[in-house]
Amino acid sequence: MDQEKLHKYRPYPPVRLTDRTWPDKIITKAPVWCSVDLRDGNQALVQPMNLEEKLEMFQLLVRIGFKEIEVGFPSASQVEYDFLRLLIDGNHIPDGVVPQVLTQAREQLIKKSYASVQGAREAIVHLYNSTSTLQRDIVFKKGRKEIIDLGVAGARIIREQAGQTATKIRYEYSPESFTGTELDFALEICEAIMDVWEPTPENPVIINLPATVEMSTPNIYADQIEWFCRQMKSRDCALISLHAHNDRGEAVAATELALMAGADRVEGTLFGNGERTGNVDIVTLALNMFTQGVDPGLDLSRINRVINVYERCTKMEVHPRHPYAGELVYTAFSGSHQDAINKGMTALDLTESGLWEVPYLPIDPQDVGRTYESIIRINSQSGKGGVAYIMDHEFGFKLPKDMHPGFGRVIQEVSDAHGDELSAEMVFHTFEKEYLLNSNGYHLKSFNVLKRHFDKDEESSIAEIAAVVVVKGAEKNIEAVGNGPLDAFCSALRDGLGLRFTLNSYHEHALTRGSSSKAVSYIEILDQDEESWWGAGVDTDIIVASIKSLLSALNRSAAKPKKE
């Protein structure tokens, strides 16, 4: 950055709070949530929502579990006024859900706001006026007393109007741009408003302290909230509400610390939509709590449905790296990450603790309606662990650990050539081509166990086999005797075809996906140069699967470049 431009900026002043307590607190319960998607989020859209989209969004918010929803600025917009009437006249507001309307401290605007909520069982009327030094000095050119008088006059009208309606009215006040307001002045005007409304512990007011513009590090916002909570009179008669914006990219952290500092309520939006850089993201806040064992009181177990409605109504897209909700957040491309996730998922299957403990995944994707299918995706950066995970969890092939590096190299070569991410199906297709369908050298036409018995004197099994193997298009009849069918087949290949190899490792298991009657065998051989080659075979007969697996390894060995 240009050093000469730095003189235009100065650090935000800290709060002189030497005995702050919030750093030692933890969040143990969810706040009262208030969605402002239909007001703050809507007014930030290039194309604001129409009535049908607003209704769909409102119904989504209700399904998620919001009990307080700021539905608009009915005194400033006919569409928002009409929408509130649609909600009330159409009986779309369930019991226990309270609509909230925002109004400036002007009589005609307050009266229109009250007209918009007529017929509702309950409503929150949210009064605000600007209090920051910049707003006072530059926009309104008014002193402190004039700003207080403006707010108090609005509060009186709100109280008078509340006495003329059958709707139960709850009061909320925001000193707009709280973070740009001197703390003592913010406290003074809020207490002046409370004096008009006369709240009680049984009927508290909402004092909303918005970071209308995020101007400091999150710890300072927390200090401001703790200072305010400690200094205000009649603290038990107010719910302290937060409304953080994300100008510095720290709204989630600021809100979490401010909750630790004593706040009771949070206003925000789904996925952080809102003016400029957006409001605090309630999805992230709620799921952060969930991962700490705290019930957020919101149902985000079907996150894809939430995303679909949000994107359809707002015409905005959820970023692929968005916490918890992004398309790629449960995906690992890095080889080391894939290997750790693979091992973590395996360990999870074996533990009885019930705790979610998987490296790189702070939440179980299934808890938000995702599946394990997208956890690991394959590209040129992927490693053997990720490839093994795909083969196991997608297709039921539990590749032996020593087989992982070789197949990982095969996939990396394919990915490099492809130049893009490989789908799970492409990974399996590569496995099929490389191991299961590789018959360029040797192909089994028939295999029979002619005789098999147990030699009591030798305490061993003896098997006699006969097979027909196609070698470069020509059929070869081979037979031999061995300790078992596989050993006999190895002897037949050595004696009948002159092959030189050593059987080094053998694994088998029933396939866990697809047909349960099939089994898979994995065999490692060492060729005449002591080089390791793995093969794989699938069949309903495990003996035949092992024969196919051996031929697979031999075919892969035969395909290696000849030494000069």
Side-chain angles (χ1 to χ4, degrees):
M1 297 295 289
D2 189 340
Q3 296 295 307
E4 293 182 0
K5 295 179 180 178
L6 287 176
H7 73 277
K8 296 192 297 184
Y9 304 97
R10 56 184 175 182
Y12 191 92
V15 178
R16 301 302 177 187
L17 192 67
T18 58
D19 58 343
R20 61 182 59 84
T21 62
W22 63 262
D24 296 322
K25 304 287 182 62
I26 60 173
I27 297 173
T28 59
K29 66 177 182 178
V32 175
W33 300 109
C34 176
S35 162
V36 295
D37 289 86
L38 291 165
R39 198 276 299 172
D40 211 339
N42 181 58
Q43 70 187 31
L45 299 176
V46 174
Q47 181 181 342
M49 288 179 269
N50 58 35
L51 291 178
E52 291 76 16
E53 291 164 340
K54 281 175 172 286
L55 181 58
E56 184 177 12
M57 178 63 77
F58 180 83
Q59 291 170 335
L60 171 68
L61 296 170
V62 169
R63 284 198 302 269
I64 290 172
F66 286 96
K67 301 303 182 185
E68 298 178 6
I69 302 172
E70 190 166 81
V71 295
F73 207 146
S75 62
S77 167
Q78 188 62 41
V79 172
E80 297 191 11
Y81 182 95
D82 293 342
F83 176 59
L84 198 48
R85 295 315 311 163
L86 173 66
L87 290 179
I88 296 170
D89 297 337
N91 198 29
H92 294 295
I93 305 175
D95 290 343
V97 175
V98 183
Q100 177 173 305
V101 293
L102 183 68
T103 181
Q104 291 173 309
R106 290 160 56 187
E107 183 173 4
Q108 67 272 28
L109 301 182
I110 293 171
K111 287 184 176 180
K112 188 170 184 180
S113 298
Y114 269 88
S116 72
V117 300
Q118 290 301 314
R121 287 177 290 271
E122 184 176 356
I124 298 170
V125 177
H126 182 184
L127 171 71
Y128 79 97
N129 66 313
S130 298
T131 59
S132 71
T133 55
L134 286 178
Q135 296 276 7
R136 297 195 316 261
D137 296 342
I138 297 174
V139 179
F140 298 105
K141 300 188 185 302
K142 294 182 183 294
R144 284 190 177 193
K145 183 179 184 307
E146 293 170 291
I147 295 296
I148 292 176
D149 290 344
L150 179 64
V152 166
R156 289 197 179 110
I157 298 169
I158 282 177
R159 182 166 183 175
E160 291 169 1
Q161 290 292 309
Q164 300 174 25
T165 177
T167 299
K168 178 182 177 182
I169 300 297
R170 293 167 54 195
Y171 303 134
E172 176 175 353
Y173 175 69
S174 291
E176 189 196 10
S177 298
F178 165 76
T179 49
T181 304
E182 307 91 332
L183 276 176
D184 64 322
F185 179 55
L187 180 63
E188 181 181 2
I189 191 169
C190 288
E191 290 186 336
I193 299 292
M194 289 176 67
D195 287 342
V196 174
W197 285 341
E198 298 183 310
T200 65
E202 295 73 31
N203 188 29
V205 297
I206 299 167
I207 296 297
N208 189 50
L209 304 176
T212 309
V213 178
E214 187 174 39
M215 305 170 72
S216 70
T217 51
N219 61 299
I220 293 180
Y221 188 48
D223 280 348
Q224 290 171 321
I225 299 302
E226 180 165 340
W227 183 94
F228 195 97
C229 290
R230 289 163 60 174
Q231 298 297 322
M232 74 178 301
K233 64 184 181 182
S234 304
R235 171 66 180 91
D236 59 344
C237 297
L239 295 175
I240 299 300
S241 179
L242 309 171
H243 183 116
H245 280 257
N246 201 41
D247 300 86
R248 291 170 54 91
E250 301 170 319
V252 168
T255 300
E256 289 180 329
L257 298 188
L259 286 172
M260 293 158 57
D264 311 294
R265 182 178 183 268
V266 170
E267 294 185 349
T269 58
L270 301 178
F271 310 115
N273 183 33
E275 291 283 11
R276 304 181 313 280
T277 56
N279 292 69
V280 70
D281 175 13
I282 287 184
V283 172
T284 299
L285 279 173
L287 290 175
N288 279 356
M289 293 179 191
F290 182 77
T291 65
Q292 303 302 301
V294 176
D295 182 0
L298 298 176
D299 182 3
L300 296 167
S301 61
R302 298 177 63 184
I303 198 69
N304 285 343
R305 181 180 67 174
V306 177
I307 293 169
N308 290 339
V309 174
Y310 167 83
E311 292 187 336
R312 182 166 58 251
C313 292
T314 67
K315 313 299 189 297
M316 302 277 283
E317 292 184 359
V318 174
H319 194 280
R321 296 296 182 189
H322 186 285
Y324 304 111
E327 179 187 358
L328 298 178
V329 296
Y330 303 113
T331 299
F333 289 104
S334 162
S336 61
H337 287 208
Q338 292 175 344
D339 184 57
I341 291 173
N342 184 30
K343 291 174 179 175
M345 297 296 288
T346 300
L348 194 67
D349 292 337
L350 301 176
T351 184
E352 297 180 358
S353 70
L355 295 176
W356 176 258
E357 295 178 319
V358 175
Y360 300 111
L361 292 178
I363 191 173
D364 183 345
Q366 289 189 337
D367 289 338
V368 290
R370 292 289 182 85
T371 67
Y372 297 138
E373 296 174 3
S374 61
I375 289 179
I376 290 178
R377 289 159 66 170
I378 305 302
N379 65 11
S380 60
Q381 303 300 309
S382 303
K384 60 185 185 297
V387 173
Y389 179 92
I390 292 291
M391 289 300 299
D392 183 1
H393 289 261
E394 295 291 327
F395 304 105
F397 285 77
K398 302 181 183 298
L399 307 186
K401 186 174 182 180
D402 289 343
M403 189 177 178
H404 294 184
F407 185 45
R409 286 191 294 271
V410 171
I411 290 296
Q412 193 163 36
E413 290 174 3
V414 172
S415 181
D416 285 339
H418 186 65
D420 198 357
E421 176 188 345
L422 299 184
S423 67
E425 289 71 23
M426 292 175 71
V427 171
F428 182 72
H429 175 72
T430 303
F431 179 80
E432 270 192 321
K433 182 178 179 181
E434 180 73 18
Y435 294 91
L436 302 182
L437 303 179
N438 186 344
S439 58
N440 294 331
Y442 309 97
H443 174 67
L444 183 67
K445 183 174 182 181
S446 66
F447 176 83
N448 292 287
V449 179
L450 302 178
K451 185 177 181 181
R452 189 171 185 177
H453 68 278
F454 180 71
D455 189 327
K456 185 177 180 180
D457 295 334
E458 297 291 333
E459 293 188 348
S460 64
S461 174
I462 297 176
E464 180 181 347
I465 64 97
V468 178
V469 177
V470 179
V471 182
K472 297 181 179 179
E475 295 185 1
K476 301 290 186 180
N477 293 290
I478 57 175
E479 58 183 41
V481 176
N483 292 332
L486 180 59
D487 180 64
F489 187 69
C490 289
S491 297
L493 292 174
R494 295 186 187 103
D495 298 339
L497 302 181
L499 299 181
R500 296 291 174 262
F501 65 91
T502 302
L503 193 65
N504 194 54
S505 185
Y506 175 86
H507 300 265
E508 65 179 47
H509 66 79
L511 278 175
T512 58
R513 299 288 176 91
S515 174
S516 59
S517 62
K518 287 189 175 182
V520 58
S521 168
Y522 310 96
I523 283 180
E524 180 194 22
I525 65 167
L526 299 179
D527 63 16
Q528 58 189 0
D529 298 321
E530 295 296 307
E531 189 173 351
S532 168
W533 297 94
W534 280 90
V538 175
D539 200 88
T540 54
D541 186 328
I542 188 59
I543 295 175
V544 176
S546 65
I547 300 303
K548 291 180 177 179
S549 180
L550 174 60
L551 292 177
S552 169
L554 289 168
N555 286 332
R556 297 187 68 241
S557 172
K560 75 175 183 178
K562 301 298 182 182
K563 293 182 178 180
E564 296 295 333

